[in-house]
Amino acid sequence: MIDIIIPNYNGVSLLPTCLDSLRAQTRRDFCVVVVDDGSTDESVALVRRYYPEVQVIALSRNRGLAAAVNAGIEATGGEYVVLLNNDTEAHPRWLEHLIGALDRYPAYAFAASKMMLFDARDRLHSAGDYYRLDGVPGSRGVWQRDVGQFDVMEEVFGPCAGAAAYRRAALEELAEDGWVFDEDLVMYCEDVDLNVRARLRGMRTVYVPRAVVYHRLSATGGGALASYYCGRNFMLVWAKNMPAPQARRYWPLLIWSQIGFTLHSLWHIREPAARARLRGQFDGLRALPRFVRKRRRMTGTHTGQLVVETRY
């Protein structure tokens, strides 16, 4: 059985497109769970009225994306966990191809979708995600016109959690760290953290180019909110997870990348997103001791070296 978990916050205008596309899937052995993260709009009422087949978990307050996803994982029990953003539209054969890859290739723990821009459907949002040794994550192919350059099924660093499949057994192993998605990250980079931890345990991700999803980029978040949490979380994910030998070798790269973000934000200081990133960097420095303690908790779970994705 497949559990499709959709975190939602004030997405009443987005959910119908997403849920209608799931009704059209060719593979049918799945359950859909919408985890509503304290919405103040009519999201819950809409789902209960027009999509009775969908289970709703309504959180009493807004706890952040990572907590909402964890609540969905804890409430389900299928062999596969699939995460899908509420601002997406899945191709009818998306789930068939995505889960089919994990069915065929048991060596892989995660599967990454081919994510396209909703309003520019010939352009890529993510062909799987990568991670750099300076702590900067990213999406392969982002903004590129799709001319077939990412049409080969291959291993990637990790999936974007906006449209990804996970073996539940792998998530249960990662939960030994004390969490599946780290709720202290709140949102943005919570999937990067998961991907890094998975790689350090030897878990692999397959990119499935025929598993296509169209994404309204940052329809729920974005802007200053994204800038704040990226400014905060880039350094925290690195500090928490980078193996000690690589941390000693590559810490100057982290520092230089952070200085670069700071200078760029100062240059654009009149823009709300730039000011938000600076606040995020400051709060990230304040949170560093807490994330170093998390690092000690994870001692012994790593393979010793992080192998990063180099094709962007």
Side-chain angles (χ1 to χ4, degrees), residues 66-93:
V69 171
N70 284 344
I73 293 171
E74 291 169 8
T76 55
E79 178 184 2
Y80 295 114
V81 173
V82 174
L83 301 184
L84 185 65
N85 277 11
N86 66 350
D87 53 0
T88 58
E89 179 184 354
H91 184 279
R93 299 187 68 186

Side-chain angles (χ1 to χ4, degrees), residues 15-125:
L15 283 167
T17 298
C18 179
L19 296 176
D20 287 345
S21 73
L22 294 180
R23 281 180 169 173
Q25 291 298 302
T26 55
R27 182 158 180 165
R28 303 304 307 166
D29 56 334
F30 63 88
C31 295
V32 181
V33 179
V34 170
V35 183
D36 188 78
D37 194 19
S39 291
T40 56
D41 66 5
E42 297 299 314
S43 291
V44 171
L46 176 137
V47 175
R48 287 176 173 164
R49 180 175 181 180
Y50 295 107
Y51 300 92
E53 74 276 16
V54 174
Q55 178 184 351
V56 176
I57 299 173
L59 304 182
S60 60
R61 60 182 177 86
N62 184 266
R63 295 171 52 194
L65 180 67
V69 171
N70 284 344
I73 293 171
E74 291 169 8
T76 55
E79 178 184 2
Y80 295 114
V81 173
V82 174
L83 301 184
L84 185 65
N85 277 11
N86 66 350
D87 53 0
T88 58
E89 179 184 354
H91 184 279
R93 299 187 68 186
W94 165 68
L95 193 65
E96 173 190 341
H97 290 304
L98 190 67
I99 298 299
L102 292 180
D103 286 338
R104 290 193 302 275
Y105 303 109
Y108 292 100
F110 302 167
S113 302
K114 183 179 190 179
M115 300 182 72
M116 310 294 295
L117 297 182
F118 189 91
D119 295 319
R121 297 195 172 201
D122 63 339
R123 293 196 177 272
L124 290 154
H125 173 217

Side-chain angles (χ1 to χ4, degrees), residues 196-215:
V196 173
R197 288 157 47 213
R199 294 285 287 196
L200 289 169
R201 286 177 179 263
M203 298 178 187
R204 302 164 65 192
T205 297
V206 61
Y207 162 66
V208 188
R210 298 179 70 186
V212 176
V213 164
Y214 301 97
H215 184 208

Side-chain angles (χ1 to χ4, degrees), residues 168-179:
R168 185 175 295 272
L171 296 182
E172 289 173 348
E173 181 179 341
L174 290 164
E176 294 173 4
D177 294 333
W179 53 84

Side-chain angles (χ1 to χ4, degrees), residues 10 12 27 45 47 69 138 175 183 225 228 232 238 258 276:
N10 288 344
V12 69
R27 182 158 180 165
V47 175
V69 171
E183 296 180 16
L225 185 71
Y228 171 82
R232 175 183 182 270
W238 193 98
Q258 290 296 314

